[in-house]
């Protein structure tokens, strides 16, 4: 990593979210009525039947095609199992099912693209799309990748904390805020 002294990386530096978004996108797909809560999806280790070397699950890649999450569990995976195993195939499918509009809406619903106005200096808004556009020019391949937190999407660590706080509050969104530490007093004998 490049050293950037003085930059508050929690709010001023955006990163690709990675697999942590899998839970958020599944909740969004269920909430939007696009995937039933009890949906089971087969993990064959790769998304496309005729392309086993692309769009793979990490276990399939690591085992050179000898193992899948489905072979581990003995059945097609539900959302909780797929989340526990971090199954890319399940969440590629969630991204594809949501499509471009649904994935953009999911990330927007969880605050990507917004600044928090904390008053603590520069804040990065994160983005969904390319070159600052809100979803413009995205394809179904982008939505598929974004299902596992990759592709043209970035957010800050505060976006992640805020998104999961919203999820923990059953969808109630509250703006994050800074709390000033109380003055420290020295203990005396």
């Amino acid at each position: 990593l490049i050293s950037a002294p003085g930059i508050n990386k929690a709010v001023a530096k955006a990163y690709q979210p990675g697999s942590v978004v899998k839970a958020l996108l599944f909740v969004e797909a269920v909430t939007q009525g696009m995937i039933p809560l009890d949906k089971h999806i087969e993990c064959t280790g790769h998304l496309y039947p005729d392309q086993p070397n692309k769009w793979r699950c990490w276990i399939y890649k690591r085992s050179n095609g000898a193992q899948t999450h489905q072979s581990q569990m003995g059945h097609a995976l539900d959302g909780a199992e797929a989340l526990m195993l971090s199954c890319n195939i399940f969440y590629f499918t969630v991204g594809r099912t949501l499509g471009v509009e649904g994935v953009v809406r999911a990330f927007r619903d969880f605050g990507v693209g917004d600044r928090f106005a904390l008053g603590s200096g520069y804040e990065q808004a994160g983005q969904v799309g390319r070159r600052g556009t809100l979803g413009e020019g995205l394809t179904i391949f982008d939505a598929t990748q974004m299902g596992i937190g990759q592709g043209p999407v970035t957010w800050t660590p505060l976006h992640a904390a805020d998104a999961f706080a919203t999820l923990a509050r059953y969808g109630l969104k509250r703006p994050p805020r800074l709390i000033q530490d109380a003055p420290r007093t020295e203990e005396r004998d």
Side-chain angles (χ1 to χ4, degrees):
L1 291 174
I2 297 173
S3 176
I7 291 181
N8 183 346
K9 292 179 183 76
V11 297
K13 181 83 172 124
Y15 306 89
Q16 278 192 321
S19 289
V20 70
V21 300
K22 290 175 177 177
L24 303 174
L25 291 174
F26 182 66
V27 165
E28 188 77 14
V30 170
T31 301
Q32 289 181 24
M34 301 195 71
I35 293 181
L37 185 58
D38 61 352
K39 173 82 170 175
H40 285 72
I41 295 174
E42 290 185 28
C43 175
T44 60
H46 49 91
L47 186 60
Y48 299 115
D50 58 340
Q51 297 179 10
N53 293 320
K54 293 183 178 180
W55 303 78
R56 299 178 290 184
C57 247
W58 63 269
I59 190 171
Y60 182 83
K61 182 178 179 180
R62 187 181 71 198
S63 70
N64 292 320
Q67 213 174 18
T68 66
H69 289 117
Q70 184 167 319
S71 68
Q72 278 186 322
M73 298 298 286
H75 58 269
L77 307 177
D78 65 23
E81 292 167 332
L83 186 60
M84 175 183 69
L85 297 169
S86 195
C87 179
N88 285 352
I89 305 311
F90 190 98
Y91 289 97
F92 282 148
T93 304
V94 169
R96 286 176 58 142
T97 302
L98 283 168
V100 171
E101 288 182 23
V103 168
V104 169
R105 185 175 338 134
F107 281 107
R108 291 292 299 133
D109 285 350
F110 284 107
V112 177
D114 296 332
R115 290 183 174 85
F116 296 104
L118 297 172
S120 63
Y122 174 73
E123 295 180 23
Q124 174 63 251
Q127 70 178 33
V128 183
R130 293 182 178 84
R131 297 178 293 279
T133 65
L134 184 59
E136 190 176 317
L138 294 179
T139 67
I140 193 63
F141 297 108
D142 295 319
T144 303
Q145 280 289 95
M146 292 163 75
I148 65 166
Q150 296 180 11
V153 59
T154 60
W155 68 357
T156 66
L158 185 58
H159 283 106
D162 181 57
F164 278 93
T166 300
L167 186 63
R169 290 188 299 261
Y170 299 97
L172 178 63
K173 189 154 182 61
R174 296 232 169 114
R177 57 195 170 124
L178 296 177
I179 299 174
Q180 183 175 357
D181 285 340
R184 294 183 185 195
T185 58
E186 292 182 34
E187 283 187 31
R188 298 184 187 220
D189 292 341

